[in-house]
Amino acid sequence: MRKLVLLILFISAYSVYSQTDSLHYARLDSMTPEELLQYYINEKEPPEFDKGPNIGDSLYYVLRPMAYPTQTVEADPLFLNRQRPAQETETEVLDTSSTADYKFRPKISLGAGRLSFVGDVYQKHFQPPAFGRPTSDIGISQRLTRYLQLDFCAMFGQLGANENTATRHENFQSEIRAGGLNLIYDFGNFIPDKYTVRPYVSLGVVGFEFLSKTDLKDKFGNTYYYWSDGTIKNMPEGSAGAQNAKLLVRDYKYESDIRELNKDGFGKYPERAWAFPIGTGFTMKVTNRVDVRFNFQYFVTTTDYIDGITNKSVGDRLGNKRRDNFTYTSVSLQYDLVAKSLKRKGADTLDPKFFLALDKTDSDNDGVPDLSDNCAGTPEGAKVDAKGCPLDEDNDGIPNYRDDELNTPPGVPVDSRGVAQSDEYWKNWYTAYRNDTLDPNMEKVVIGNIYEPEPVKKKKKKKANNDIFTVELARYNGAIPSDELAFLLSIGDINSTTLPDGSTVVYTTGSYDKLSTAVKRRDEFRQEGIKGSGISRVRGNEIIPVGDAELQDLLKSESEDLLKADPAAQDSGAVADPVEEAFHRNDVVYRVQLGAFKKRISTSVFNTSAGSVLELKTGESIYRYVTKGYKTIGEAAAVRADLVIQGYGDAFVTAYKDGKRIPLSQTAATVDKEFKEDLSEDKMFSSVNKKLVVFKVQLGQLKKKNFEASMDEKVKDLPNVEKQVTLTGSIRYTAGGNFENFEAAEKFRKDLEGQGFFDALVIATFKNEIISIQEANELLK
């Protein structure tokens, strides 16, 4: 799209340049008669007289309407450097006042290009022309005027698109047959014919038919099933026997008719429609007969069935509300069927008597011929001088026929009627001005002051108490017992917070502005048997328990504030808002397991699209990391598929209910009967793609850019030097490229130390983000 915009800007600039050159001839209108006569005397004669009136006869087309009919000259038409036709009848018209070279000159064209789809299928809903399908066109055009021409065209080709995302896999290919007409405007009224390149814009109407098919099976009849790991197999993912599924490769043979499949219940919809192409491009003249046209058109259609998907489709096939459109980018070759312009019969030209009549013409009847008249259009009866200009006897700049004072003294300023502006004149003007402004009956209108500042609005006072409360379920300094771990994970909105001491982890649920709402949620947990649950205040990374006495005071204060704001609440007794839970007590909670490590890893390492990550320290000091809870297996599976793409290939889904971990086979998930799920929570594993863990050797980090040039000179001979601007604006230098392990990076660092780089150090990155060496080594285990 960016290249297309640049092309249109280039064509527009070229068009403006051409117009400036062609408008050069408009200066003829501003010439004096002497200059105009000299211009035509110096004008070159045409190189070939047999082509009829051309360059040297251009004056004829301008002056003929001014000279005929006339009473002063009677002359027969003459012929310039050629003989009168031997036989000439009275019916033959001698006319050179209208050039009609564009009549009866059809052109045929053959072209080829690509059709690109703009619709529901394709991830960005716009297919670049480079990815379009091949198409050919044929046409015939006829010029209507100097700047308009009509094209009749036919087009034959294919239109198609493929979309493969985590949630949708659609494809189609349609056979396109189209025919219609386009009206083209090529700036012929601005750009002279001598230019070989001419831009144009077009608008048209086209009728077309389409036959759309989709690729659902390979050549052996195996149906494609798209798995979450990006592969295509012959069985659905998660179905019985899926472990024996065979890998398939799309053959891109579109064998299934989309309308016949009727996936969305549209029935036998029409496979034909209208389109309105809007186009632009430019034509390049190669020879007198041959042109090359570069064309781009956007077809606005009246159908939404080309890809078989609309906004009424069901499930993952749901499309947008816009109709299916397409573009056509092409190059075509045009051939002019008429080699030469049609010759006119007996075209008349100029003779000396014609110039004699022209010399004597006096349009304003002032007695001075037009060719010598410097002031054309003088009013009838006005006295003029030898050059045809009105007389001004007092030289005040106002001609006599408009001068109310013919004897104005020299040098005295005058008004538009030639009246002297003396002291008496200005005295009378000032007196009239004062009479108008000091009149006591003068009407005064006040329109207001638009610059008056608006009154400052008082800001509402903010609530003094901005505390956020949560329900604290457990607080651990060591490992979590296995039974309590499963219970915590079965709570859908559980959160974990590591306190500033680095060893204490607090597990909470919910975040509430109203304390009474948090108390109601706490009471529900106590009824379920969690007697140790309590209320805590959230302040940054600290979770501060609220004592019973303070809790009662806060509840009383909150109740009083509520009654002041809404006295009606006292009668109803409603203080606490109902607790809105995303998860219900008997819901199955699905989570995605990211890893279990011997040493603690910062949750920032798992900075994924899955959102917040929960950290739990289990038995034997194993740190386990899981995602937030999901209500359906579909949500969890989609997150797991996305995590695989992001580099967490071994991540897997687990399920919890009623405080226990349960097998996926007891949930809504589709599980192979032979699959045996390990329900142990004490095993270590890592879902991370180890190739994303990279070690680098950092040479230094500059905080001031004025040292950048000297640092570049210092490291220019080192291998694989990289520069990276950090979030703080510093420039980080690394050398040696990427290392797969710490030992190789450390060896290179020691080599650099021997070359004088004593500040070099080894750093570790995961997905191009810096992590600690300890975390990197832990991820590689």
Side-chain angles (χ1 to χ4, degrees), residues 265-286:
F266 295 149
K268 301 290 185 178
Y269 53 80
E271 292 182 315
R272 55 189 175 277
W274 293 98
F276 304 94
I278 304 170
T280 184
F282 61 92
T283 302
M284 180 182 300
K285 180 174 289 295
V286 180

Side-chain angles (χ1 to χ4, degrees), residues 711-731:
M711 188 64 175
D712 289 343
E713 180 66 23
K714 185 178 180 181
V715 303
K716 67 178 182 179
D717 295 328
L718 296 179
N720 299 324
V721 175
E722 297 178 1
K723 289 196 300 185
Q724 180 184 10
V725 179
T726 66
L727 296 177
T728 60
S730 301
I731 302 177

Side-chain angles (χ1 to χ4, degrees), residues 410-423:
V412 177
V414 297
D415 61 11
S416 61
R417 299 299 303 176
V419 178
Q421 297 176 335
S422 60
D423 293 340

Side-chain angles (χ1 to χ4, degrees), residues 550-748:
E550 183 184 6
L551 182 62
Q552 296 303 320
D553 292 340
L554 291 173
L555 285 172
K556 181 179 179 181
S557 176
E558 183 179 85
S559 178
E560 292 174 351
D561 292 341
L562 179 63
L563 293 176
K564 289 179 182 179
D566 185 11
Q570 184 175 8
D571 298 333
S572 62
V575 176
D577 292 335
V579 178
E580 296 183 2
E581 293 183 89
F583 294 85
H584 299 286
R585 297 179 183 178
N586 296 325
D587 284 348
V588 176
V589 179
Y590 298 91
R591 299 181 186 274
V592 181
Q593 301 277 347
L594 297 173
F597 306 95
K598 192 68 175 178
K599 295 181 180 179
R600 184 174 181 271
I601 295 177
S602 173
T603 54
S604 62
V605 172
F606 303 100
N607 184 19
T608 68
S609 59
S612 60
V613 174
L614 196 64
E615 176 187 291
L616 305 105
K617 186 179 181 181
T618 61
E620 297 183 5
S621 298
I622 296 176
Y623 293 87
R624 185 171 297 275
Y625 298 89
V626 299
T627 65
K628 67 179 183 179
Y630 300 97
K631 297 187 67 175
T632 65
I633 184 62
E635 291 178 299
V639 171
R640 188 257 174 188
D642 190 38
L643 288 171
V644 170
I645 296 174
Q646 295 182 53
Y648 304 90
D650 292 332
F652 60 92
V653 179
T654 55
Y656 301 87
K657 183 179 180 181
D658 297 331
K660 298 179 181 178
R661 178 177 172 182
I662 61 174
L664 290 175
S665 58
Q666 297 179 12
T667 68
T670 302
V671 181
D672 188 87
K673 294 181 179 180
E674 298 181 1
F675 173 70
K676 294 182 179 180
E677 185 177 359
D678 188 354
L679 301 180
S680 173
E681 300 280 12
D682 296 329
K683 290 185 178 181
M684 291 189 297
F685 78 98
S686 174
S687 64
V688 171
N689 183 355
K690 294 180 174 54
K691 293 183 179 180
L692 299 178
V693 180
V694 174
F695 293 91
K696 297 175 179 288
V697 178
Q698 177 175 306
L699 302 175
Q701 189 163 319
L702 301 181
K703 295 184 179 180
K704 296 183 178 180
K705 297 195 69 175
N706 52 353
F707 296 122
E708 185 178 358
S710 61
M711 188 64 175
D712 289 343
E713 180 66 23
K714 185 178 180 181
V715 303
K716 67 178 182 179
D717 295 328
L718 296 179
N720 299 324
V721 175
E722 297 178 1
K723 289 196 300 185
Q724 180 184 10
V725 179
T726 66
L727 296 177
T728 60
S730 301
I731 302 177
R732 178 185 295 119
Y733 284 81
T734 60
N738 299 332
F739 298 92
E740 295 181 355
N741 53 67
F742 175 78
E743 290 74 16
E746 177 63 16
K747 181 178 181 300
F748 182 71

Side-chain angles (χ1 to χ4, degrees), residues 148-153 155 178-185 200-208 273-280 295-302 326:
L148 289 177
Q149 69 181 61
L150 192 64
D151 275 16
F152 300 88
C153 60
M155 183 169 57
L181 55 87
N182 291 283
L183 186 64
I184 297 178
Y185 171 70
Y200 67 85
V201 294
S202 66
L203 181 65
V205 59
V206 171
F208 71 98
W274 293 98
F276 304 94
I278 304 170
T280 184
N295 177 61
F296 176 82
Q297 289 178 289
Y298 188 94
F299 287 75
V300 181
T301 76
T302 60
F326 55 90

Side-chain angles (χ1 to χ4, degrees), residues 205-220:
V205 59
V206 171
F208 71 98
E209 62 180 9
F210 56 93
L211 178 60
S212 301
K213 295 186 178 183
T214 183
D215 183 16
L216 300 179
K217 301 178 180 181
D218 64 7
K219 62 181 180 180
F220 301 108

